[in-house]
Amino acid sequence: MAKDLRTKNSKTCFQNIKKEHPEYKTVQSQILQDVLRRLDRAYKNFFDKRAKYPKFKDKYHYTSITLPQCEAKRNFGKEGYVYIKNIGYIKIKAHKDFDPTKVKTINIKYHAEKWYINLSVEIEEEKEKPVILERAIGIDKGINSIAATSDGELYLNPRWLQKAEKKLKKLQRQLSRKKKGSNNREKQKKRLAKLHEKVANQRRDYLHKISYNIVKNNDIICVEDLQVKNMMKNHKLAKSIANAGWRMLDKYLQYKMEREGKIFIKVNPAYTSQKCSRCGKIVGKDLSVRVHRCECGLEIDRDVNAAINILHEGLRQLGIVA
Ligand SMILES: [Zn+2]
């Protein structure tokens, strides 16, 4: 569609629109074209199953406009100002230095009673920094501590989070007792949704903090492959909530590591909790046993023992150790 827009037909099409709707006369045709471009993108996303069916946006909900590349380049004048046709010079507060000749598009947005201008600027790719892979860590994810590291650190499931999760369960139970279609049920639903969001935000926050700390101090991170871990189902664990947290933590670790050109690797979790991380002997223990005690003399937290095994397995997969 974007290509068609540049043909003569589209020009007459826009002229017709401007005749029918005189209020569009002062609007640049590139801005109008962009509206169609966005609509096209919205439908593409819908048909490719990436998004819901596009919603109609009236003038009160259409809060931004985009000026294309050529316009942006031509109109860049004074430093610290952006020139926009029909509007004039606008003083801008740039948060980053940029080359005005490299501006690709200008996006103007109205949000919370303020105007914002977003410039997409072409930048030269930074040369990849060589990463020194010397700091490696293994992470075991669990119920009591959401993450235990091979360095011996335990990131506990915070009490406030557990409390909030309990409250969520309580509200959920209350909801199931409320009559269907009743006012009280609707109210309860809203209360539940609100708390859900709050807890989700808190959890995200906490996981971001953990992942930030771990990524900052390491060049290689080894975790258990959750897909395999979940195949070894253990029905005793009420772990649906924990599971969501584990997935999120993996996701955060992975993208933060990849962003810095570091290594994130998933390993098969088989035997990682039972094997002794010092001598390799299998020391069977059920979930109630929190300490790994081996004949070889090793006595450490069971999750830390697992994390060390995960680290060893990861380094073996990478060919760093035999
Ligand atoms: Zn041992």
Side-chain angles (χ1 to χ4, degrees), residues 261-309:
K262 297 173 171 181
I263 294 175
F264 174 88
I265 187 169
K266 290 177 179 175
V267 305
N268 186 336
Y271 305 114
T272 48
S273 62
Q274 310 292 338
K275 201 163 89 177
C276 175
S277 59
R278 183 189 282 170
C279 69
K281 194 172 173 268
I282 298 292
V283 185
K285 49 192 167 297
D286 64 40
L287 275 168
S288 62
V289 183
R290 301 305 311 162
V291 179
H292 168 87
R293 270 189 202 92
C294 181
E295 285 168 0
C296 74
L298 184 64
E299 194 173 317
I300 49 171
D301 181 276
R302 67 171 285 148
D303 294 338
V304 173
N305 178 61
I308 298 171
N309 282 328

Side-chain angles (χ1 to χ4, degrees), residues 62-74:
Y62 205 89
T63 55
S64 74
I65 54 172
T66 304
L67 301 162
Q69 185 182 7
C70 52
E71 206 63 22
K73 268 186 186 165
R74 212 173 42 229

Side-chain angles (χ1 to χ4, degrees), residues 7 11 17 19 37 43 58 107 111 124 131-132 143 156 158 180 185 201 210 217 239 254 264-265 267 295 307 311 322:
T7 63
K11 213 170 184 180
I17 290 176
K19 251 183 226 160
R37 219 167 271 134
Y43 273 106
D58 61 26
N107 184 265
H111 176 70
E124 270 178 46
V131 175
I132 308 159
I143 301 283
L156 296 180
K180 271 190 185 154
R185 190 183 165 87
N201 280 339
I210 296 179
N217 296 316
K239 64 175 190 180
Q254 184 164 10
F264 174 88
I265 187 169
V267 305
E295 285 168 0
L311 172 65

Side-chain angles (χ1 to χ4, degrees), residues 172-187:
Q172 186 76 54
R173 268 201 309 275
Q174 285 171 350
L175 178 71
S176 62
R177 284 199 295 268
K178 297 265 190 297
K179 224 167 133 192
K180 271 190 185 154
S182 69
N183 266 346
N184 274 337
R185 190 183 165 87
E186 285 311 305
K187 265 191 211 156

Side-chain angles (χ1 to χ4, degrees), residues 38 55-64 109-110:
R38 288 189 201 181
K55 267 190 234 155
F56 173 70
K57 281 198 175 171
D58 61 26
K59 62 179 173 184
Y60 300 105
H61 291 90
Y62 205 89
T63 55
S64 74
K109 193 171 169 59
Y110 185 67

